[in-house]
Amino acid sequence: MTSQIFSHDVQQTLDLIGIFVFALSGGLLAVRKNMDIFGICVLAEATALGGGVMRDLLIGAVPPVAFTNMGYFVTPLVAGLVVFFLHPEVERINRSVQTLDALGLGLFCVTGTAKAHDYGLGSVPSIALGMLTAAGGGVIRDVLAQETPSLLRWDREIYAVPALVGATMVAILIATHHLTTLTATTAALTAFVLRMLALRYGWRAPRAWHRNGARVSEE
Amino acid sequence: MTSQIFSHDVQQTLDLIGIFVFALSGGLLAVRKNMDIFGICVLAEATALGGGVMRDLLIGAVPPVAFTNMGYFVTPLVAGLVVFFLHPEVERINRSVQTLDALGLGLFCVTGTAKAHDYGLGSVPSIALGMLTAAGGGVIRDVLAQETPSLLRWDREIYAVPALVGATMVAILIATHHLTTLTATTAALTAFVLRMLALRYGWRAPRAWHRNGARVSEE
Amino acid sequence: MTSQIFSHDVQQTLDLIGIFVFALSGGLLAVRKNMDIFGICVLAEATALGGGVMRDLLIGAVPPVAFTNMGYFVTPLVAGLVVFFLHPEVERINRSVQTLDALGLGLFCVTGTAKAHDYGLGSVPSIALGMLTAAGGGVIRDVLAQETPSLLRWDREIYAVPALVGATMVAILIATHHLTTLTATTAALTAFVLRMLALRYGWRAPRAWHRNGARVSEE
């Protein structure tokens, strides 16, 4: 079992922090979309747990951990209620939320990759599932709220690259038998720092260029 | 096996009624969206079976019952054809369709909760899956038709609360060993009556309030 | 095992061709939607593998073959990069892409139906999963790109019917013990030819008619 990177309590605490901030981002979008309290809670749950649930379905880990660990399920509800009652305050600390979200990104791309590998998947699919764990919930959030997934938009700071780097580091660490708490933390921090730099300096990914005669509409 | 609340024939009949009316709502949205006969049938299938299929995937009951019981699969096709040929009439009896839809809501939140519990899930996840069974198909319907899921919209009568009440009653009945045909029916009827009252009196759920300085746009 | 219709190498080659052209269609939509290089690759992956992954989840074949066979996963990335660098050229050969896409449609409705049957599903659900394999990726592509799924739109040439015909032929061939490489190829070619004819002659499926008093808005 490589996924036991951290002690159980540390892992659980980090997971819940990540879930909580992902849920905040879901709840805030629901408020912006003028949804009611139930919409807020549903979007908080879907954002926080969606990536991990899809990963668990794909590797055959059913029921997903989100449905067997009570804390995983209740945390997004708490986040939803916090947003419902305090959304102006949560918006105001949006920078802090983005920082925590970057932490969640770093954490989940690492643990997602390790868990997929534990279930027998190869390096490349494990990296893909690590990225899915980190970014999948946000895609579900945007689809439910009828927005183009921000993961796919060119005018948003890069999210996939930090996850890709963190997940790839874990896959290499596993393959070379160097995955320890220390190296896993390094991978998570690398993804976190890359994401923070992307936010700070507005890093964006290139779009396909538009040559003469290209039938590409600017939508 | 607590899920055998009703005799097999009664359960089957109720299921098919619920599936049929859910499929009608999918087909009607497809007609409003100007889709063709195949769009109508696909949306009827997705609406009617989507919630149960997601529940079955999450609890590991594969292939989902919708793919092993022929009646479950064919019923939405029949509903799709009914809508295709008779949609003005079906629109005209929309009130009756809403009544039947409320019955489906009551039924599926009860049977969904019981089935999740049968597969070893705890009370809270079972309630969540009961709500998913009742409301999930409608969310898939709206996403496929490119509408904001009516479950999440503040300007629609509450749908989640009746399902939550019915599912919670079942979870309590199971935990206290009181789940019988009679008590399960009571739970389903409670959800049904709550939904009918919500429709009758326009019950809506609260949105997050907008204080001074809150950056919430009215979309 | 009826799914071993073709020799392993032939099957693999055909699969990769189908995956590649499906991925091209995903990548091209991403370019039209002005997404960046990661959006292009994500949409290419989702379009190419989505249908097969959903089928594998529904029949309990986890992890899905897309996550265990490296070629299945890497091919859409290659297609994404091709679109990124050469999208005007790919648009220019759009007719050829549509031809290859029709080939993918024919192939996947046949292999999807056969695989579902191998996993113990009946004829009708196997046909449904064959259609899902062929058309599901395109639906995911359109939902992620915030478009009404072209499968459901009346103003697009029929896509479901060719898949339905091909899948039904396979189900009948299986039931009558006549599924061979030759007959399976015939079924795939039938679906392919139907789709090409639909494109050539603009075949569309009927919508529900609008009678007097029908509350159907032309959206």
Side-chain angles (χ1 to χ4, degrees):
Chain A
M1 288 293 282
T2 55
S3 76
Q4 209 55 51
I5 305 169
F6 308 108
S7 82
H8 182 266
D9 287 356
V10 172
Q11 172 83 51
Q12 179 90 350
T13 307
L14 290 172
D15 274 2
L16 292 184
I17 292 173
I19 286 171
F20 187 79
V21 292
F22 277 17
L24 286 183
S25 84
L28 285 175
L29 181 58
V31 169
R32 280 189 214 110
K33 287 279 177 174
N34 220 1
M35 293 176 183
D36 65 24
I37 174 78
F38 298 103
I40 293 169
C41 287
V42 168
L43 221 53
E45 289 279 356
T47 309
L49 305 178
V53 166
M54 287 197 290
R55 175 204 59 208
D56 287 352
L57 284 179
L58 289 168
I59 62 179
V62 288
V65 66
F67 287 88
T68 54
N69 183 320
M70 185 71 102
Y72 285 26
F73 188 82
V74 173
T75 299
L77 290 182
V78 175
L81 292 176
V82 166
V83 169
F84 180 73
F85 287 111
L86 301 172
H87 67 92
E89 284 77 9
V90 180
E91 288 275 7
R92 208 135 53 210
I93 58 165
N94 196 28
R95 238 190 128 90
S96 318
V97 172
Q98 283 194 322
T99 306
L100 288 169
D101 181 86
L103 269 179
L105 167 70
L107 177 70
F108 289 135
C109 73
V110 167
T111 56
T113 304
K115 183 164 183 182
H117 181 265
D118 283 348
Y119 275 76
L121 272 73
S123 295
V124 173
S126 294
I127 292 170
L129 288 178
M131 295 175 69
L132 180 70
T133 309
V139 171
I140 293 179
R141 173 197 66 206
D142 294 339
V143 166
L144 287 178
Q146 291 287 296
E147 301 242 311
T148 300
S150 68
L151 181 74
L152 304 179
R153 294 177 59 165
W154 74 274
D155 56 349
R156 296 289 164 89
E157 290 78 16
I158 50 171
Y159 202 93
V161 177
L164 175 62
V165 170
T168 305
M169 285 175 70
V170 173
I172 293 171
L173 289 169
I174 291 174
T176 58
H177 306 284
H178 282 99
L179 191 72
T180 63
T181 301
L182 185 69
T183 57
T185 306
T186 307
L189 286 177
T190 304
F192 166 72
V193 169
L194 281 175
R195 172 67 181 159
M196 293 306 291
L197 289 172
L199 284 172
R200 175 74 185 74
Y201 296 104
W203 288 349
R204 282 166 193 175
R207 284 174 290 164
W209 54 81
H210 297 179
R211 298 185 236 171
N212 284 340
R215 278 185 285 142
V216 175
S217 60
E218 284 283 350
E219 284 172 48
Chain B
M1 287 292 284
T2 55
S3 77
Q4 207 55 50
I5 305 169
F6 308 108
S7 81
H8 182 265
D9 287 356
V10 173
Q11 174 81 52
Q12 178 91 351
T13 307
L14 291 172
D15 273 2
L16 293 184
I17 292 173
I19 285 171
F20 187 79
V21 292
F22 277 18
L24 286 184
S25 84
L28 285 175
L29 181 58
V31 169
R32 280 189 215 110
K33 287 279 177 174
N34 220 1
M35 294 176 182
D36 65 24
I37 174 78
F38 298 103
I40 294 169
C41 286
V42 167
L43 221 53
E45 289 279 355
T47 309
L49 305 178
V53 166
M54 286 197 290
R55 176 204 59 209
D56 286 353
L57 284 179
L58 289 168
I59 61 179
V62 287
V65 65
F67 287 89
T68 55
N69 183 320
M70 184 72 101
Y72 286 26
F73 188 83
V74 172
T75 300
L77 290 183
V78 175
L81 292 177
V82 166
V83 169
F84 180 71
F85 287 111
L86 300 172
H87 67 91
E89 283 77 10
V90 179
E91 288 276 7
R92 210 136 51 210
I93 58 165
N94 196 28
R95 240 190 126 90
S96 318
V97 172
Q98 282 192 323
T99 305
L100 288 168
D101 181 87
L103 269 180
L105 168 70
L107 177 69
F108 289 135
C109 72
V110 167
T111 56
T113 305
K115 182 165 184 181
H117 181 265
D118 283 349
Y119 275 77
L121 272 73
S123 294
V124 173
S126 293
I127 292 170
L129 288 179
M131 295 175 68
L132 180 68
T133 310
V139 171
I140 293 178
R141 172 197 66 207
D142 294 340
V143 166
L144 287 178
Q146 290 287 298
E147 301 243 309
T148 299
S150 68
L151 181 75
L152 305 178
R153 295 176 59 166
W154 73 274
D155 58 348
R156 296 290 164 90
E157 290 78 16
I158 50 172
Y159 202 93
V161 178
L164 175 62
V165 171
T168 306
M169 285 176 70
V170 173
I172 293 172
L173 289 169
I174 291 173
T176 59
H177 305 286
H178 282 99
L179 190 72
T180 62
T181 301
L182 185 68
T183 57
T185 307
T186 307
L189 286 177
T190 304
F192 166 71
V193 169
L194 281 174
R195 171 66 182 160
M196 293 305 291
L197 289 172
L199 284 172
R200 174 76 184 75
Y201 295 105
W203 289 349
R204 282 164 194 179
R207 285 174 291 166
W209 53 80
H210 299 177
R211 298 184 237 171
N212 286 339
R215 277 185 285 140
V216 175
S217 61
E218 285 282 349
E219 283 173 47
Chain C
M1 288 293 283
T2 56
S3 77
Q4 208 54 51
I5 304 169
F6 308 108
S7 81
H8 182 266
D9 286 355
V10 173
Q11 173 81 53
Q12 178 90 350
T13 307
L14 291 173
D15 274 3
L16 293 184
I17 292 173
I19 285 171
F20 187 79
V21 291
F22 277 17
L24 286 183
S25 84
L28 285 176
L29 181 59
V31 170
R32 280 189 216 112
K33 287 278 177 175
N34 221 1
M35 294 174 182
D36 64 24
I37 174 78
F38 299 103
I40 293 169
C41 286
V42 168
L43 222 53
E45 288 279 356
T47 309
L49 305 178
V53 166
M54 286 198 290
R55 175 204 59 208
D56 286 352
L57 285 179
L58 289 167
I59 61 178
V62 287
V65 65
F67 287 88
T68 54
N69 183 319
M70 184 70 103
Y72 286 26
F73 188 83
V74 172
T75 300
L77 291 182
V78 175
L81 292 176
V82 167
V83 169
F84 180 71
F85 287 111
L86 300 172
H87 67 92
E89 283 77 10
V90 179
E91 288 275 8
R92 208 135 51 209
I93 58 163
N94 197 28
R95 238 190 127 90
S96 318
V97 172
Q98 283 193 323
T99 305
L100 287 169
D101 181 87
L103 268 179
L105 167 71
L107 177 70
F108 288 136
C109 73
V110 167
T111 57
T113 305
K115 182 165 184 182
H117 181 265
D118 283 348
Y119 275 76
L121 272 73
S123 294
V124 173
S126 293
I127 292 169
L129 288 179
M131 294 175 69
L132 180 69
T133 309
V139 171
I140 293 178
R141 174 197 64 206
D142 293 340
V143 166
L144 288 178
Q146 290 288 296
E147 300 243 309
T148 300
S150 67
L151 181 74
L152 305 178
R153 295 177 60 165
W154 73 274
D155 57 348
R156 297 289 164 90
E157 290 78 14
I158 50 171
Y159 202 92
V161 178
L164 175 62
V165 171
T168 305
M169 285 176 69
V170 172
I172 293 172
L173 289 168
I174 291 173
T176 59
H177 306 287
H178 282 99
L179 191 72
T180 62
T181 301
L182 184 69
T183 57
T185 307
T186 308
L189 286 178
T190 304
F192 166 71
V193 169
L194 281 176
R195 171 66 181 158
M196 292 306 290
L197 289 172
L199 284 171
R200 174 75 185 73
Y201 295 105
W203 288 349
R204 282 164 194 179
R207 285 173 291 165
W209 52 82
H210 299 175
R211 298 184 237 171
N212 286 339
R215 278 187 285 142
V216 174
S217 62
E218 285 283 350
E219 284 172 48

